[in-house]
Amino acid sequence: KKTKGCCGLRKKKKKKKKKKKERKKMNNQDSNNNNYEEEGEMIDEEEVDSILIPINSSEEVVEVRLDSLPEDVTDIIDILKAEIVPLNIWLEFAIAYYRQGKIEQFKQILIVGSDPSLEEFYPEKKPRIAILNTLA
């Protein structure tokens, strides 16, 4: 069930994904499409029209439509920080803003996501390095 909130945000229950990686690999074996691998799943950049933010200690997610990203990026940053969202999702939002030509919002997400004060919540080094590399 979905409920619409502010800024194009919608809450919905998380659905279990079926072996999407295997299906996509079989379908795209010989093609050179714009695909990237994320947490073991192949994702076609062209089909991504929203980003799901997992709600901490819950089975729910907040869906943010990429065609209605808020101009004021602090709304997104506040949600990412409050729900202790994995850093790869921070990076997805930064890239989404960049692709829309919103460079200041892109930088803001990366700056906050790379802040040393967040290290206690995000001890993994690889996602932090990815954010720092993107910021550079």
Side-chain angles (χ1 to χ4, degrees):
K1 188 174 182 178
K2 297 179 185 178
T3 57
K4 191 162 184 164
C6 72
C7 307
L9 305 178
R10 293 185 284 175
K11 282 188 177 183
K12 65 183 188 177
K13 290 273 186 185
K14 208 186 258 190
K15 293 182 181 178
K16 299 224 178 204
K17 296 178 184 177
K18 297 179 184 175
K19 303 195 179 198
K20 188 175 181 178
K21 179 180 176 180
E22 292 174 10
R23 282 197 314 260
K24 286 216 178 248
K25 277 187 179 178
M26 289 173 55
N27 291 339
N28 295 324
Q29 275 180 337
D30 298 324
S31 67
N32 289 330
N33 293 341
N34 291 333
N35 293 330
Y36 63 95
E37 189 169 340
E38 178 182 306
E39 291 193 18
E41 292 186 19
M42 291 298 294
I43 300 188
D44 187 347
E45 290 179 7
E46 294 171 4
E47 78 178 39
V48 177
D49 62 349
S50 64
I51 298 174
L52 300 178
I53 301 173
I55 303 298
N56 201 9
S57 303
S58 171
E59 288 294 315
E60 292 187 341
V61 296
V62 174
E63 180 181 21
V64 180
R65 303 240 349 124
L66 298 183
D67 59 0
S68 61
L69 286 173
E71 286 295 319
D72 185 5
V73 74
T74 56
D75 293 340
I76 296 293
I77 292 172
D78 289 344
I79 293 170
L80 296 173
K81 287 170 68 175
E83 299 302 332
I84 310 173
V85 175
L87 289 176
N88 65 314
I89 296 177
W90 287 65
L91 191 54
E92 285 182 41
F93 275 106
I95 292 168
Y97 275 106
Y98 181 83
R99 287 186 177 149
Q100 293 181 12
K102 298 175 181 178
I103 305 305
E104 286 307 310
Q105 292 89 335
F106 163 76
K107 287 179 184 177
Q108 279 184 286
I109 291 172
L110 295 175
I111 289 168
V112 174
S114 63
D115 190 293
S117 67
L118 294 179
E119 281 186 42
E120 68 181 273
F121 302 106
Y122 303 104
E124 304 87 18
K125 299 219 183 284
K126 192 173 180 179
R128 292 185 56 74
I129 291 170
I131 286 183
L132 290 168
N133 284 341
T134 306
L135 185 57

